[in-house]
Amino acid sequence: MEKAERMEVIRAGIPAEPRGGEMLRIRVVYPDGTKLQRNFLPSDKVALLLNLVELDVFDHQMDIDAFELYVAIPKLCLNDVGEWGDAQR
């Protein structure tokens, strides 16, 4: 599958951003200082965040081939988190 086709598959699977109720806001800061911010439901999986970042990088034609997302405290690489949020060690 071509990269553009893969991005359209990801785009089609992105749910609407929650606007109220119980939710959390996540902000991703790229190396150049630009930011991606979005609200998530507590039940959303980490894969949704990873897909959104990959799609954002593609849409903005950023020169990033691969990425890892980290939570600052405690330091945890989200790329290593399983489907249900448990760290894969």
Side-chain angles (χ1 to χ4, degrees), residues 3-77:
K3 180 82 170 183
E5 292 172 350
R6 176 174 153 60
M7 293 301 104
E8 290 311 311
V9 169
I10 288 175
R11 190 182 316 280
I14 302 290
E17 183 174 3
R19 298 287 180 199
E22 188 177 357
M23 63 183 175
L24 56 117
R25 178 170 292 154
I26 295 178
R27 179 182 299 153
V28 175
V29 181
Y30 296 107
D32 68 358
T34 59
K35 297 173 180 70
L36 167 66
Q37 182 171 294
R38 182 187 158 107
N39 297 323
F40 292 85
L41 296 172
S43 59
D44 285 335
K45 296 185 176 38
V46 173
L48 174 59
L49 174 60
L50 295 172
N51 284 342
L52 281 167
V53 171
E54 185 176 4
L55 187 59
D56 192 53
V57 165
F58 176 80
D59 285 347
H60 292 98
Q61 299 176 346
M62 296 179 195
D63 190 21
I64 300 173
D65 292 329
F67 61 88
E68 292 182 334
L69 298 178
Y70 287 88
V71 175
I73 301 173
K75 188 171 182 181
L76 175 67
C77 179

